[in-house]
Amino acid sequence: MIVSGSASQALAAALAAELGEPLAMTETEHFPDGELLASVGAFDAERAIIVSSTVSSDAHVELLQLQDAAREAGAEEIITVIPYMGYGRQDKSFKTGEPVSARAMARAISTGTDRVITVNPHEELLCDFFSVPCESVDAAPHLANALPADLDQPVFLAPDEGAIDLAASVRDAHGAGDTDYFVKKRLSGSDVDITPSDTDVSGRDVVLVDDIIATGSTMSESIEILQGRSPNRVFVTCVHPMLASNAQTKLARAGVEAIYGTDTIERAVSSVTVAPAIAEALEN
Ligand code: R5P
């Protein structure tokens, strides 16, 4: 039985179709004081596969409740699929007194499941924070499927060093092109300073590749720098299209040709589904 968190309904349905498994009728309601109550409805299965991106603090609570509800309803095995794991970027204590939020979340999630599958965590060490078996699925090769087939002398560009491997994966899956990266210094939660490379992008198509677009500052700064160098077209692709607040407007104003993301976070730009990749991980 596939159990969907409220932020992952399309992906859960796609996964149910991919696996030929039924979809539970989950429901989430709020009490007057704001507390959540997430339930799994009528349930008749030994295995529950809970699919829930933890895009908000409420989504984290909802996931813990769905795990408990599935166990309460009789599931003997619970597999938790977290396509996008929120708080995953706080994977260390950056300043004295700060928590390792990713570890705190992973510990809580581990108590209600037998296994975890996630997609392109910010750092692979995220899986080590779980006390149950955890594996990550790589969606990067699938991102290439959404790109136009007629890319002209493409450059697959990481906006920071951490995304170099992703850019190379997308290039390899596309089959042709160069890779390069910029250097990024984060100034605050919403401000970044980008130092560009000296690759000649004039007349060429550029594909910016990152794991996540959050505020859109990283991508919009990168696009603006590229636009000053006369590229042909600038595309943006990412695994997790969080696109918080006015991120999409920032990218549009910077001159992006198109944005492609996956359905780990369900947005209008989520043109690539990770359902087959997750199904493959589940079948192994
Ligand atoms: C950071 O290292 C990540 O890979 C992304 O580059 C970053 O989280 C994007 O954030 P924003 O869209 O807020 O610039």
Side-chain angles (χ1 to χ4, degrees):
M1 181 83 85
I2 307 293
V3 177
S4 170
S6 50
S8 297
Q9 295 178 54
L11 176 54
L15 189 61
E18 193 80 32
L19 295 170
E21 291 211 22
L23 195 54
M25 189 60 235
T26 46
E27 280 183 29
T28 304
E29 55 187 294
H30 285 88
F31 288 106
D33 61 2
E35 286 187 354
L36 275 174
L37 180 67
S39 45
V40 296
F43 200 89
D44 181 21
E46 288 187 357
R47 181 174 86 160
I49 301 172
I50 300 173
V51 184
S52 188
S53 282
T54 49
V55 293
S56 63
S57 300
D58 268 5
H60 270 279
V61 174
E62 184 192 61
L63 171 58
L64 299 180
Q65 290 186 338
L66 290 174
Q67 290 175 325
D68 201 69
R71 197 75 87 183
E72 189 69 20
E76 283 170 17
E77 183 188 14
I78 295 187
I79 300 175
T80 301
V81 177
I82 314 171
Y84 167 72
M85 183 165 152
Y87 293 97
R89 286 175 292 168
Q90 180 80 12
D91 54 13
K92 53 175 83 76
S93 180
F94 295 92
K95 280 190 273 180
T96 309
E98 282 186 354
V100 181
S101 305
R103 184 179 59 201
M105 297 303 163
R107 283 178 176 163
I109 293 165
S110 296
T111 62
T113 192
D114 300 295
R115 180 182 170 197
V116 171
I117 295 174
T118 190
V119 180
N120 292 92
H122 186 58
E123 296 286 349
E124 282 297 325
L125 76 83
L126 182 84
C127 273
D128 298 342
F129 291 147
F130 291 90
S131 59
V132 294
C134 171
E135 69 200 271
S136 67
V137 166
D138 183 14
H142 302 274
L143 287 171
N145 299 337
L147 293 170
D150 65 346
L151 290 179
D152 187 8
Q153 311 163 71
V155 184
F156 292 83
L157 185 66
D160 60 39
E161 284 182 78
I164 292 173
D165 289 348
L166 278 181
S169 287
V170 179
R171 188 275 312 272
D172 291 349
H174 176 72
D178 298 327
T179 58
D180 195 11
Y181 67 96
F182 287 172
V183 174
K184 179 175 83 179
K185 189 172 166 205
R186 183 161 285 286
L187 306 176
S188 72
S190 57
D191 285 312
V192 294
D193 181 56
I194 305 269
T195 306
S197 67
D198 52 12
T199 293
D200 181 10
V201 297
S202 172
R204 306 176 70 179
D205 284 329
V206 180
V207 181
L208 281 159
V209 185
D210 208 350
D211 59 339
I212 178 171
I213 305 173
T215 66
S217 299
T218 302
M219 286 301 195
S220 56
E221 290 277 328
S222 301
I223 297 165
E224 278 167 22
I225 289 167
L226 288 164
Q227 293 296 9
R229 298 173 171 206
S230 310
N232 184 26
R233 299 172 293 183
V234 180
F235 299 94
V236 160
T237 185
C238 71
V239 177
H240 307 297
M242 173 61 75
L243 293 168
S245 184
N246 59 352
Q248 203 154 345
T249 303
K250 283 186 191 169
L251 270 63
R253 282 172 59 87
V256 72
E257 183 80 16
I259 306 169
Y260 307 103
T262 81
D263 52 2
T264 60
I265 301 178
E266 296 178 3
R267 298 282 188 260
V269 303
S270 299
S271 52
V272 177
T273 181
V274 295
I278 292 172
E280 194 182 329
L282 283 162
E283 279 162 353
N284 284 335

